């Protein structure tokens, strides 16, 4: 009878093979779970630059900001919307020098719909310009947006003029129609557009509005809302909740 020599390492090799088999099964399960999760909890995001130019005494002033919109979705729940938006970035500030600053805010500062003067939230303003209504069936198209679109008077952000940017109490709500009456007779908006970008989000609002850090600290987590029909400053008009 021929003696069969058994490799002394065979038990260890068997254990390794079994371990690799289970690892393969585990990876398959993980991938399947991720696919199912993404199918039921999709996320749609895009980033855009908001830029606004204002002329005063024939001198041009421009401000811009990169804003990120993220829609997080889940299964339909009776009585509740399927998708919820989150904003990143900050308001665009147009520095007018001795005439203060105009801020195109992220939020409207109003707690009623429709907003009395038609100001549009940063969640919707870029999508609106591209003809996307940001409703469930149109959200998957948002990450595929490219290019630039001008803003129309009916699709414009909330505008707040600070006669003194260092003093939050100097804030005054303005519109593209009354800017000449409020700031200076020659003042007019010359350009406003949104453009899809991959540029990074920059957070430096405190260098433009030095009162903002203390203002945010005083309000954040306190559930501060503007009263219906009454305009007031709320910290998330200036920075996104996800930053």
């Amino acid at each position: 009878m021929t003696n069969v020599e058994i490799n002394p390492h065979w038990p260890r090799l068997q254990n390794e093979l079994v371990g690799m088999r289970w690892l393969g099964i585990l990876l398959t399960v993980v991938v399947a779970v991720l696919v199912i999760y993404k199918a039921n909890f999709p996320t749609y995001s895009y980033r855009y630059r908001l830029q606004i130019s204002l002329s005063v005494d024939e001198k041009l002033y421009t401000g811009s900001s990169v804003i990120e919109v993220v829609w997080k979705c889940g299964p339909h729940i009776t009585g509740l919307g399927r998708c919820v938006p989150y904003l990143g970035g900050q308001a665009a500030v147009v520095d007018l020098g001795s005439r203060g600053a105009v801020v195109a805010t992220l939020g409207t500062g109003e707690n009623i719909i429709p907003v009395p003067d038609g100001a549009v939230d940063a969640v919707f303003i870029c999508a609106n310009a591209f003809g996307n209504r940001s409703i469930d069936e149109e959200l998957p198209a948002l990450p595929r947006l490219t290019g630039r679109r001008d803003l129309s008077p009916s699709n414009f952000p909330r505008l707040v003029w600070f006669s003194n940017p260092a003093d939050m109490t100097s804030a005054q709500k303005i519109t593209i129609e009354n800017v000449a009456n409020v700031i200076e007779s020659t003042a007019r908006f010359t350009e406003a557009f949104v453009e899809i970008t991959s540029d990074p989000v920059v957070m430096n609002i405190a260098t433009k509005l030095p009162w903002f850090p203390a203002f945010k600290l005083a309000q954040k987590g306190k559930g501060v809302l503007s009263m219906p029909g009454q305009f007031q400053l709320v910290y998330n008009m200036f920075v996104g909740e996800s930053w």
Side-chain angles (χ1 to χ4, degrees), residues 212-232:
F212 181 73
F215 177 67
K216 179 183 177 183
L217 184 63
Q219 283 195 345
K220 189 168 185 179
K222 307 294 174 54
V224 178
L225 294 173
S226 57
M227 297 298 292
Q230 179 182 339
F231 172 75
Q232 72 177 72

Side-chain angles (χ1 to χ4, degrees), residues 53-55 60-61 188-192:
S53 296
L54 181 65
S55 174
L60 191 65
Y61 301 89
R188 62 187 180 90
F189 288 93
T190 60
E191 184 179 52

Side-chain angles (χ1 to χ4, degrees), residues 108-183:
T108 66
E110 305 280 356
N111 201 29
I112 56 174
I113 298 175
V115 176
D117 55 11
V120 180
D121 190 286
V123 169
F124 302 102
I125 198 166
C126 179
N128 286 349
F130 281 85
N132 188 303
R133 296 169 294 171
S134 297
I135 56 178
D136 283 2
E137 58 267 27
E138 296 184 19
L139 293 179
L142 291 175
R144 299 193 295 270
L145 296 178
T146 59
R148 164 180 160 172
R149 296 290 187 277
D150 290 334
L151 297 182
S152 67
S154 61
N155 184 42
F156 224 78
R158 160 69 64 232
L159 300 171
V160 180
W161 177 53
F162 292 88
S163 56
N164 177 6
D167 180 7
M168 63 174 289
T169 64
S170 71
Q172 185 174 347
K173 181 172 64 172
I174 64 172
T175 65
I176 56 176
E177 290 83 12
N178 71 6
V179 60
N181 296 329
V182 177
I183 298 179

Side-chain angles (χ1 to χ4, degrees), residues 194-236:
V194 289
E195 184 174 21
I196 302 300
T197 184
S198 59
D199 289 350
V201 170
V202 176
M203 300 298 294
N204 61 0
I205 195 77
T207 66
K208 304 170 187 290
L209 305 173
W211 48 265
F212 181 73
F215 177 67
K216 179 183 177 183
L217 184 63
Q219 283 195 345
K220 189 168 185 179
K222 307 294 174 54
V224 178
L225 294 173
S226 57
M227 297 298 292
Q230 179 182 339
F231 172 75
Q232 72 177 72
L233 299 182
V234 182
Y235 80 93
N236 57 15

